[in-house]
Amino acid sequence: MKNNKVGKQKLLEKRLRSITLLILCIAMLTACAPNPSQDYVTSKNDGAFESNIQETAPQQNGDATSLTRTGSFTSTDGSVEYIWNIDQAIIDGPMPVAEAVPYFFTPEDARQIATVLFGDAVFYDIGPESERYYSRGELDRKINLLSKYADEDTLYALVGPYVIHSDLQKLLRSYNRQLETAPTDDPRSICDWTFKKESYYEDDGKYGMGDGTNDQLNIATTIGNYSYCIAVDVRNKRDYQTSTITVTLGDGSSYVERELQLVELCMTERPTQEQIDSATAEAQRSLDQMGLGEFVVAKASVSVIEAGSVPGYAIVVNAVPIIEGVPGLVGHTGITDANTDLNTESYDSTYPMTYIRFVYNAEGQLISFSMHGLTEVQKVRNDNVATLSTDKLFAKAQTYLSLFDSESLDAITGNNAWVLAIENDIPMESIVFKVEITGVQYGLARCDMADSDNAFYYTPALLFEGTINFYNKNTGALLDSSTVTLVTISAVDGTIV
């Protein structure tokens, strides 16, 4: 028992060190990023984009174009090897350039999404932090869940270090005390589908990085033995903008219940292709019924849930918006440069990139849902814009990637090497980077509109995906690999977007 606790403590300390390193490395991002000076990496400020979007391409029939690229190149300092491994087809049809503005969710949007995902379930407003109470039935459900993991060894074996045993015990004691005086009827208010301020929910005044003024809805519902929290967060102010809806396990009261429910739902055999296809179809059905625009499922994959001694599995489904008949790009993160001096006229607010994700278990039960950064198209500037050749776009991508040394590449892709160096007790210099460029997407990317603080362009772009492999230089052993978006190039003017 003692050795088991020591092992747990070491694992927790290891994870905490990794998280600390990630935070520190992210803070160093701007110092590590490359500063391209070559003409091949086109400047965003040379006026080429505004000029080029006036040019119309010859009429195209939308046939598939084959893209094949092999060979390799290195970063300018020789610390990163890139390997081309592209063999696929893209649809090379007419591509538009469109102007768009942020779309901010309404309470009615939240009601529609909740109904699509959970049908005729009862939705409760969770209320202020200081006034959250439960019925006897809801407390019984919570106590039954926690009691199954009350033994520390059982908790660690099934859930791993992601739930602290003392937190679970504290929560269990609290629920048992509440049960003594809990009412039979649910004391929570039925959701009225009107926004409240963040300060209404967090009435202790602790808003994290916020100021308590965001418009929010925090809703709880229970489906069978599992609870869910639906959270809406909207802000349209000069400092920043956000418009997001998330659905997570648990009712928002404790991470403990969320993690325990996750484990229970995901401890299955690895999902079959039939189950993946079923989840994909369900996600598309949900998107079609939400009434928020046109979307398409673009990617579905299986994610391994590493909790206790037995792995779990989830099906992750990503979707993208359709803009003027052309899909967006999965994994496009964009680059936003915002002036943080509120006293200057050039200040630009920031608005997150569009992101849509469903997560299901193997049986098709919803685990989580995220949707944020939606936009509305205001004007189509060109419905068949002239674009650069794929050869030029490949060349620009290669030149851009070659400017990253291993340290800066690691910084912008998650700082995995820093974590691996600690976990394997080796210096960073002993980690060798080899990047295999494995895929491209051709679609619409979002970029800022010049001289506007509230509008964007959707422009055709080529997105390059790849796998970063981390090797031990001394032994040749593969330490880890990470699949990421490497770079997105505007097909209109060759800029990085």
Side-chain angles (χ1 to χ4, degrees):
M1 183 67 164
K2 181 178 179 181
N3 290 337
N4 190 21
K5 288 184 177 180
V6 171
K8 295 178 197 176
Q9 183 64 30
K10 287 184 176 179
L11 182 57
L12 282 170
E13 290 173 353
K14 185 177 182 180
R15 289 184 181 276
L16 287 171
R17 284 197 301 268
S18 298
I19 292 169
T20 302
L21 278 172
L22 281 171
I23 294 171
L24 289 173
C25 290
I26 289 170
M28 295 167 60
L29 175 59
T30 54
C32 297
N35 185 21
S37 58
Q38 300 185 30
D39 292 338
Y40 226 114
V41 181
T42 311
S43 168
K44 284 187 171 68
N45 300 314
D46 63 2
F49 182 83
E50 288 290 343
S51 174
N52 290 1
I53 62 175
Q54 310 301 322
E55 301 295 325
T56 300
Q59 194 61 40
Q60 302 169 70
N61 55 17
D63 291 339
T65 298
S66 178
L67 295 180
T68 302
R69 182 63 60 96
T70 58
S72 63
F73 63 97
T74 62
S75 59
T76 53
D77 73 336
S79 64
V80 183
E81 179 184 2
Y82 295 90
I83 302 165
W84 286 107
N85 185 12
I86 302 292
D87 185 12
Q88 67 182 83
I90 61 170
I91 302 299
D92 190 13
M95 299 291 281
V97 172
E99 296 180 11
V101 296
Y103 177 79
F104 297 99
F105 289 120
T106 67
E108 187 55 38
D109 293 333
R111 185 206 295 264
Q112 178 67 9
I113 290 173
T115 302
V116 168
L117 296 177
F118 299 112
D120 58 358
V122 179
F123 300 104
Y124 298 97
D125 192 305
I126 69 172
E129 176 73 28
S130 63
E131 300 177 13
R132 294 175 189 171
Y133 306 103
Y134 305 97
S135 65
R136 294 187 63 84
E138 185 65 11
L139 286 168
D140 282 338
R141 187 193 62 79
K142 290 172 173 286
I143 291 169
N144 288 338
L145 173 68
L146 270 59
S147 296
K148 289 186 286 186
Y149 305 91
D151 176 74
E152 186 174 5
D153 289 334
T154 300
L155 176 67
Y156 188 75
L158 297 178
V159 185
Y162 301 107
V163 172
I164 298 173
H165 184 253
S166 60
D167 289 347
L168 185 151
Q169 290 291 335
K170 180 180 179 181
L171 198 60
L172 195 55
R173 289 192 297 270
S174 173
Y175 289 156
N176 276 304
R177 284 195 301 269
Q178 292 181 45
L179 189 61
E180 297 174 0
T181 57
T184 301
D185 295 332
D186 203 311
R188 296 175 296 181
S189 299
I190 299 294
C191 182
D192 63 2
W193 304 104
T194 59
F195 279 141
K196 284 83 175 173
K197 293 301 180 184
E198 182 180 9
S199 56
Y200 167 79
Y201 291 106
E202 305 300 330
D203 59 345
D204 59 0
K206 298 177 181 178
Y207 312 127
M209 297 180 66
D211 60 6
T213 65
N214 286 20
D215 290 323
Q216 292 188 345
L217 264 175
N218 287 301
I219 307 158
T221 191
T222 301
I223 307 297
N225 291 322
Y226 299 101
S227 58
Y228 293 87
C229 181
I230 305 164
V232 188
D233 188 36
V234 175
R235 182 185 184 91
N236 182 14
K237 295 190 177 182
R238 296 187 70 226
D239 52 355
Y240 72 94
Q241 298 168 311
T242 189
S243 178
T244 180
I245 293 181
T246 60
V247 176
T248 55
L249 289 168
D251 58 12
S253 60
S254 169
Y255 84 96
V256 174
E257 293 177 58
R258 183 186 68 239
E259 294 296 324
L260 296 183
Q261 291 186 164
L262 175 66
V263 167
E264 289 200 350
L265 286 169
C266 293
M267 293 302 108
T268 64
E269 296 295 323
R270 187 179 184 88
T272 64
Q273 187 59 50
E274 183 179 2
Q275 289 173 318
I276 297 171
D277 293 342
S278 177
T280 299
E282 175 61 20
Q284 187 65 61
R285 181 198 68 80
S286 296
L287 290 168
D288 293 343
Q289 293 182 358
M290 287 177 183
L292 291 167
E294 188 178 0
F295 306 92
V296 63
V297 168
K299 183 179 181 181
S301 60
V302 174
S303 178
V304 179
I305 308 297
E306 296 181 354
S309 56
V310 179
Y313 300 95
I315 303 169
V316 180
V317 181
N318 293 96
V320 293
I322 301 291
I323 302 99
E324 298 302 308
V326 180
L329 297 170
V330 179
H332 177 229
T333 58
I335 298 174
T336 301
D337 296 313
N339 179 357
T340 57
D341 183 359
L342 298 181
N343 295 317
T344 66
E345 292 297 324
S346 61
Y347 176 78
D348 289 330
S349 61
T350 59
Y351 186 68
M353 298 298 293
T354 301
Y355 179 79
I356 306 166
R357 186 181 78 161
F358 297 81
V359 180
Y360 301 93
N361 75 346
E363 277 75 40
Q365 183 160 349
L366 186 68
I367 301 295
S368 66
F369 168 73
S370 301
M371 176 181 275
H372 61 70
L374 299 192
T375 60
E376 287 184 292
V377 172
Q378 300 290 294
K379 180 181 179 181
V380 177
R381 293 288 298 273
N382 191 333
D383 60 7
N384 184 24
V385 69
T387 56
L388 301 175
S389 69
T390 54
D391 284 343
K392 286 185 177 180
L393 296 175
F394 270 75
K396 286 180 178 291
Q398 179 166 318
T399 300
Y400 180 75
L401 291 173
S402 70
L403 300 176
F404 286 84
D405 61 17
S406 58
E407 185 176 359
S408 57
L409 178 67
D410 190 44
I412 69 165
T413 56
N415 298 296
N416 296 287
W418 283 79
V419 175
L420 290 171
I422 293 295
E423 291 182 342
N424 292 276
D425 196 23
I426 57 176
M428 272 287 291
E429 305 82 67
S430 295
I431 298 179
V432 174
F433 291 67
K434 292 187 178 182
V435 181
E436 186 177 12
I437 308 172
T438 55
V440 297
Q441 296 179 48
Y442 189 45
L444 295 185
R446 201 188 86 191
C447 60
D448 292 335
M449 184 183 296
D451 302 320
S452 175
D453 61 358
N454 196 42
F456 319 101
Y457 281 122
Y458 279 105
T459 178
L462 204 60
L463 180 149
F464 293 83
E465 305 164 313
T467 300
I468 304 176
N469 297 304
F470 305 89
Y471 293 92
N472 186 323
K473 181 171 65 176
N474 301 318
T475 66
L478 177 65
L479 301 175
D480 198 9
S481 62
S482 177
T483 300
V484 298
T485 295
L486 295 170
V487 63
T488 305
I489 311 284
S490 169
V492 171
D493 64 352
T495 54
I496 310 301
V497 294

